[in-house]
Structure formats: structure tokens, C-alpha cells
């Protein structure tokens, strides 16, 4: 994506009918460290890679409990993610207060999407620079949604966002049609494997990732680090899966990119920009 | 001729709480009345707001319900922000602020908050309708309170809460003795207070957790 004369304002269209500022916001999501989500009929698992800004600092929190039946994982500007999480929590609390029942996740994501859309149509605002994987329950069962800075949202069986997410997506594409019948444990294992894919050779330990699970009758909770480490160890001991992970260089091959060429991003090896983790 | 809409009603009932060395007993009758009629014999006035805080409120139950919901929602927000449960003294202050917020259209609720403080000692806070509160060793609120308090003053062997400086008035009685006393005072209050009776709900909180007990009271 190159600079051009139509990208200063979010309220300026390009001749090709694009809003560059919105697309730049989506870039911020792609630069953030990875987050994956998978769901079965009854459970949803979220997992994130937590990068610390330096060895001295703590890891960024990228998974937030919104309510007993909803949780989110974010990628991109984590500050924006925090603020949106507060909004989501508020919406859930207000709904529970009035209706004495949990806000169905499908309605929650619409409100979030509408909130994001507003920022794409006001000259004095900027789009939120964060993508959210929203895991939640409604009367039908478990759902996973992806909310975009553009104001779009989609429901997914499994999805991955953030840097090197293409590797995880490729892995998930091979098994998404079986996920519906997975048990909770299998979902967690696959989520960890997907996260491992995004690390591309770097060692997966419980200290650099966070895993959370929620399901029908199972309130949202972050799995404790010790339990995650056990699962990670089990993953390492297990036989490599029959389907091999691809070694395609992500972000250089733009499957989701529009017509323009993109220069390969220097983010893989370099430190993350100050705002984005 | 000149009878304005009255936004309040008194649903009657009595609430009691007693703080012990390592436990807290909160009890309330289960009768809900209006005027001289009984609406139900099976209504709980007790609400657990947090892990270590139990609220019992008599008065206008619609206001009580709204107050309980309000506090529960505020507690949820607190948990999201602080990643932990509210302590009982913190909840006590929140309740006071919430009540005073409606100083000029009050919650018609007479509250007694019981629980364990951060040291595991029993604590009881007693309130008026607009949020004035005090930590005490024991308290009663509601239609039967004036029948119960003198008996507790006499039987609990606590230092008098009317002394100054305010002494830590936790009762030296054991948990079982305190519960028996609560059952006795409610039986007595039921005799003379028409709004108290039917059933007694006793909630006991200690280090092992919370348990609930129901005791039958006179139904007349």
C-alpha cells in the first residue's frame, strides 16, 4: 500500500471507491501479534500470542472476559481493544440488568460493528485499530465472530488474525469441517497448534501465549499457565500431524489484499512498533 | 380528593445480622405483606452481592430489588476492572454511596449488610434509608427490629455498641449459639409483629463458605 492523495482523511473516497484510512486500520490488525479462534457446536476456544515490549515488561493482555458467556481476543492496537472491551462489558451488563438474561453474542457483535462503522464516517474520528475475535453463546449454541475496524463482522468456524496468521489459517482450513464435533480438549489442542504455526519455528511456551475457553454450561475462563504448559508439552511429544504445515511466507502473498501490490512487511524480524503489539 | 400517588409501599419484614469472631449470620423472615394482607409467605429478602458480602433488606421490596440489581451490576464492573471480588467494607461504602445518590427520592430500603472482612472476622454494617452507615457487631432492621434489638443487646454479650469510642463489638458467642439466638428472637418477634412470620431464612458465612437454613415460623 503506497501513500496517495486520497488517504489523509477517513471521509475521503479514492476514485476506485476505497477508504484508505479504513484499510490502513486493517493493516494495524495485521501487524499485531496473532490471535486464533475455533469453535465446535458447544465450545469456543481463543488463543493469542503475547509479545512483551521488552524483557523487562509484562506481556500484553489480549484476551478479555466480557461476560460469563462472551470473551474476546484482540490483535492490533491493544489500547483500542481495551476500550472496546469496556464497551462490550457495559453492553452486556446493561442488557442483563434490564432483561435478566445474557445478551446473545450475535446482537453484541452487531453493536460493536455499528460502533466501528461510526468511526469510518466521521472526519474528526479515526477507525479503531483493532480486530476482535468474539467468542460467545446464544440460545443456539457456540459462535465465533470476527469484528473488523471497517465495521464489518463475519461468523467463522475458525479464524486467525494478526501477523503470520496465514499459517494458522492454512492449518485451520484443513480441519474446520471436523471442528463441530470436537471435544473441548481437542479444540484447545488445535488452537495451540494453530498458534504454534504462527510462531514459525520459535518455541511455543505457555509464557508467550494465552488460551481461553467457553462453552455451553462452561463459563468463560482463561486457562492457567501451568495447564497450558502441560498441553504444550503434550503437543510437542505427540506425533506430527498427517497434514504438514505449509511454509509459505505469509503477508507477502496477499490472498486478502486488494489489487495493489504490497511490499513485504519488515515486521517479521523487527521489533513491533510502539503502539502495536 | 387530594390523595396523590404514593410511590412507596411497605412490604414489612425483619432482617437481622450478627458478626462473630470468624463467622457472620444474616437472617430475614420470608413474609411479604401489603397493608394487612400477605402477598406471599416465601419471598427472600437476602441477596449475596459478593463472595463475602450478604445484603438483607426490609422495606419496599421493589426498591430493594432495584437496589440489589444495581449493586450486583456495579460489583460486576468492579470485578472486570480489578480482577477480584469486592471486600465487605468496600461493598458497605458502595451501598452507602448508592443510597445517598437518591437522597431526594430515596430507596425505601432498610439494609443490613453482613459478611467477612479481609481478616476473616465477621462484620455487620447497618444503614438508614439514605445511606448513613456504621460498622457494628449486630443489628436488626425492619418492622420487628425494635422487638429484637433489646434482646440482642442483652444476650449477645458484646460490648455495648452505644459506648464511645466505638469498640469492636464482635460477639464472643460461637456460631451455633448465635444461630440459636437468631431463631429465638425471630420466634419472639413473630409473636407480636404482624408483619413478621411464615418462614425464617438464615444464611451463615464462614471460612468454609456459605450455607443456608430455613426455619418455620408462625403463619398467623
Amino acid at each position: 500500500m503506497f501513500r496517495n492523495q486520497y488517504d489523509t482523511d477517513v471521509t475521503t473516497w479514492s476514485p476506485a471507491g476505497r477508504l484508505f484510512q479504513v484499510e490502513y486500520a486493517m493493516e494495524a490488525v495485521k501487524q499485531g501479534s496473532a490471535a486464533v479462534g475455533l469453535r465446535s457446536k458447544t465450545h469456543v476456544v481463543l488463543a493469542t500470542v503475547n509479545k512483551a515490549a521488552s524483557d523487562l515488561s509484562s506481556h500484553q493482555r489480549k484476551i478479555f472476559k466480557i461476560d460469563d458467556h462472551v470473551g474476546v481476543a484482540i490483535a492490533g492496537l491493544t489500547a483500542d481493544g481495551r476500550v472496546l472491551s469496556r464497551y462490550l462489558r457495559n453492553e452486556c451488563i446493561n442488557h442483563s440488568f434490564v432483561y435478566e438474561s445474557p445478551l446473545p453474542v450475535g446482537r453484541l457483535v452487531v453493536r460493536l460493528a455499528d460502533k466501528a462503522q461510526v468511526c469510518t464516517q466521521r472526519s474528526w474520528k479515526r477507525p479503531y485499530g483493532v480486530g476482535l475475535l468474539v467468542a460467545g453463546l446464544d440460545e443456539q449454541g457456540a459462535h465465533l465472530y470476527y469484528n473488523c475496524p471497517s465495521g464489518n463482522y463475519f461468523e467463522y468456524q475458525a479464524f486467525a488474525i494478526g501477523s503470520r496468521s496465514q499459517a494458522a489459517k492454512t492449518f485451520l482450513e484443513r480441519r474446520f469441517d471436523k471442528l463441530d464435533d470436537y471435544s473441548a480438549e481437542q479444540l484447545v489442542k488445535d488452537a495451540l497448534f494453530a498458534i504454534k504455526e504462527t510462531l514459525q519455528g520459535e518455541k511455543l511456551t505457555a509464557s508467550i501465549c494465552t488460551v481461553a475457553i467457553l462453552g455451553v454450561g462452561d463459563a468463560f475462563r482463561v486457562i492457567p499457565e501451568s495447564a497450558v504448559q502441560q498441553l504444550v508439552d503434550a503437543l510437542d511429544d505427540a506425533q506430527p500431524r498427517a497434514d504438514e504445515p505449509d511454509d509459505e511466507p505469509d503477508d507477502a502473498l496477499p490472498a486478502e489484499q486488494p489489487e495493489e501490490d504490497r511490499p513485504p512487511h519488515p515486521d517479521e524480524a523487527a521489533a513491533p512498533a510502539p503502539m502495536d503489539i | 380528593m387530594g390523595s396523590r400517588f404514593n410511590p412507596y409501599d411497605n412490604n414489612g419484614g425483619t432482617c437481622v445480622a450478627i458478626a462473630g469472631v470468624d463467622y457472620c449470620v444474616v437472617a430475614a423472615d420470608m413474609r411479604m405483606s401489603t397493608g394487612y394482607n400477605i402477598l406471599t409467605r416465601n419471598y427472600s429478602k437476602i441477596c449475596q452481592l459478593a463472595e463475602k458480602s450478604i445484603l438483607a433488606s426490609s422495606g419496599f421490596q421493589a426498591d430493594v430489588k432495584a437496589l440489589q440489581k444495581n449493586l450486583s451490576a456495579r460489583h460486576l464492573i468492579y470485578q472486570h476492572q480489578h480482577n477480584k471480588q469486592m471486600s465487605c467494607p468496600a461493598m458497605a461504602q458502595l451501598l452507602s454511596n448508592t443510597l445517598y445518590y437518591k437522597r431526594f427520592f430515596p430507596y425505601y430500603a432498610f439494609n443490613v449488610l453482613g459478611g467477612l472482612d479481609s481478616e476473616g472476622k465477621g462484620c455487620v454494617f447497618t444503614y438508614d434509608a439514605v445511606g448513613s452507615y456504621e460498622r457494628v457487631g449486630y443489628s436488626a432492621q425492619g418492622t420487628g427490629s425494635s422487638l429484637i434489638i433489646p434482646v440482642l443487646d442483652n444476650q449477645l454479650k458484646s460490648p455495648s455498641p452505644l459506648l464511645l469510642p466505638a469498640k469492636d463489638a464482635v460477639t464472643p458467642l460461637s456460631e451455633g449459639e448465635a444461630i440459636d439466638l437468631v431463631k429465638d428472637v425471630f420466634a419472639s418477634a413473630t409473636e407480636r409483629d404482624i408483619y413478621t412470620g411464615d418462614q425464617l431464612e438464615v444464611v451463615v458465612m464462614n471460612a468454609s463458605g456459605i450455607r443456608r437454613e430455613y426455619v418455620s415460623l408462625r403463619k398467623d
Side-chain angles (χ1 to χ4, degrees), chain B:
Chain B
M1 185 129 222
S3 65
R4 274 177 79 219
F5 169 66
N6 180 205
Y8 296 115
D9 187 14
N10 190 349
N11 300 120
T14 312
C15 303
V16 166
I18 300 178
V21 168
D22 61 352
Y23 66 88
C24 183
V25 180
V26 178
D29 73 315
M30 298 187 81
R31 174 177 285 180
M32 187 171 166
S33 334
T34 176
Y36 285 121
N37 302 313
I38 293 180
L39 288 171
T40 179
R41 299 187 192 277
N42 196 206
Y43 190 84
S44 175
K45 299 185 189 46
I46 300 182
C47 177
Q48 184 177 10
L49 295 174
E51 196 188 357
K52 304 228 161 98
S53 306
I54 306 176
L55 179 67
S57 325
S58 67
F60 180 37
Q61 290 301 322
D63 273 358
V64 167
K65 188 67 153 187
L67 179 63
Q68 288 169 352
K69 286 179 77 160
N70 212 316
L71 292 170
S72 291
R74 288 300 310 276
H75 184 229
L76 195 47
I77 295 173
Y78 181 97
Q79 285 180 78
H80 280 142
Q81 289 177 344
H82 301 267
N83 224 30
K84 64 172 190 165
Q85 298 260 334
M86 270 178 101
S87 66
C88 196
M91 185 60 82
Q93 186 66 56
L94 177 64
L95 173 54
S96 171
N97 293 146
T98 307
L99 292 169
Y100 196 80
Y101 193 71
K102 274 169 62 71
R103 170 69 177 81
F104 300 110
F105 183 16
Y107 288 107
Y108 195 109
F110 300 105
N111 304 293
V112 154
L113 182 72
L116 300 173
D117 65 14
S118 36
E119 294 162 18
K121 262 176 43 179
C123 60
V124 169
F125 298 90
T126 189
Y127 295 78
D128 72 1
V130 286
S132 162
Y133 82 111
E134 187 190 6
R135 181 170 178 176
V136 288
Y138 58 92
S139 178
Q141 291 276 1
T143 49
S145 60
S146 45
L147 299 165
I148 291 180
I149 291 238
V151 180
L152 294 180
D153 286 336
N154 182 259
Q155 292 291 311
L156 276 175
K157 310 209 184 315
S158 309
S160 172
L162 302 163
L163 283 174
L164 283 172
K167 270 171 88 171
D168 186 7
V170 150
T171 179
L173 261 52
S174 74
E175 188 182 304
E177 287 172 321
I179 295 172
D180 286 339
L181 184 57
V182 161
K183 294 179 185 173
D184 282 343
V185 293
F186 263 95
S188 306
T190 303
E191 294 291 313
R192 293 284 180 172
D193 177 23
I194 59 173
Y195 298 108
T196 302
D198 290 333
Q199 253 204 323
L200 171 65
E201 183 182 9
V202 184
V203 178
V204 186
M205 177 185 276
N206 54 26
S208 355
I210 286 197
R211 71 168 202 284
R212 212 165 280 254
E213 221 186 298
Y214 296 97
V215 179
S216 201
L217 294 173
R218 282 188 67 161
K219 294 173 172 28
D220 65 353

Side-chain angles (χ1 to χ4, degrees), chain A:
Chain A
M1 239 180 263
F2 297 117
R3 272 228 81 198
N4 52 64
Q5 50 182 179
Y6 308 109
D7 70 354
T8 311
D9 258 316
V10 73
T11 48
T12 304
W13 288 100
S14 82
R18 296 159 64 175
L19 290 170
F20 281 104
Q21 279 296 309
V22 176
E23 293 184 24
Y24 294 166
M26 282 151 63
E27 268 309 300
V29 177
K30 292 190 198 114
Q31 305 282 35
S33 49
V36 312
L38 303 71
R39 77 152 166 96
S40 70
K41 259 200 259 8
T42 54
H43 284 79
V44 195
V45 171
L46 296 170
T48 61
V49 171
N50 293 17
K51 287 268 156 70
S54 80
D55 282 333
L56 296 167
S57 79
S58 61
H59 294 282
Q60 278 275 7
R61 227 161 48 113
K62 285 159 50 84
I63 294 194
F64 297 90
K65 173 171 172 169
I66 302 300
D67 203 345
D68 283 339
H69 70 296
V70 179
V72 300
I74 63 174
L77 268 58
T78 46
D80 282 2
R82 210 177 53 234
V83 157
L84 287 176
S85 297
R86 196 158 56 224
Y87 167 75
L88 294 173
R89 285 170 177 166
N90 225 48
E91 292 295 287
C92 285
I93 289 176
N94 288 339
H95 182 98
S96 289
F97 187 94
V98 175
Y99 299 102
E100 300 245 343
S101 78
L103 175 59
V105 66
R107 307 215 198 133
L108 182 62
V109 293
V110 177
R111 294 192 203 178
L112 180 60
D114 288 348
K115 190 170 165 72
Q117 191 278 339
V118 166
C119 298
T120 68
Q121 216 176 4
R122 305 279 184 271
S123 59
W124 63 89
K125 286 183 183 255
R126 64 159 177 82
Y128 287 105
V130 64
L132 294 98
L133 286 170
V134 183
L137 302 175
D138 68 12
E139 281 161 356
Q140 265 66 52
H143 298 270
L144 174 69
Y145 292 91
Y146 171 53
N147 277 71
C148 220
S150 60
N152 277 330
Y153 69 97
F154 308 96
E155 184 169 2
Y156 287 95
Q157 182 83 48
F159 200 49
I161 56 177
S163 73
R164 294 181 277 200
S165 56
Q166 188 53 53
K169 269 188 263 194
T170 312
F171 164 72
L172 293 169
E173 267 163 26
R174 294 204 189 93
R175 47 187 68 235
F176 78 92
D177 47 2
K178 304 186 200 71
L179 287 178
D180 248 348
D181 297 316
Y182 265 31
S183 72
E185 293 77 26
Q186 286 175 292
L187 273 182
V188 173
K189 276 207 202 106
D190 269 18
L192 281 170
F193 203 90
I195 285 287
K196 202 161 152 205
E197 296 292 288
T198 68
L199 291 171
Q200 305 243 301
E202 205 183 311
K203 181 142 171 64
L204 172 65
T205 63
S207 57
I208 60 161
C209 72
T210 311
V211 187
I213 184 166
L214 96 105
V216 177
D218 215 354
F220 180 93
R221 61 192 164 87
V222 174
I223 299 178
E225 196 174 313
S226 49
V228 176
Q229 187 58 52
Q230 282 178 353
L231 290 162
V232 165
D233 295 335
L235 211 64
D236 288 334
D237 298 336
Q239 289 296 332
R241 310 263 173 153
D243 34 31
E244 254 136 300
D246 275 21
D247 271 59
E248 60 172 51
D250 67 297
D251 289 2
L253 239 198
E256 59 262 1
Q257 280 322 297
E259 312 85 65
E260 294 181 12
D261 283 331
R262 285 178 58 201
H265 280 277
D267 67 295
E268 271 84 294
M275 283 194 299
D276 329 339
I277 298 267

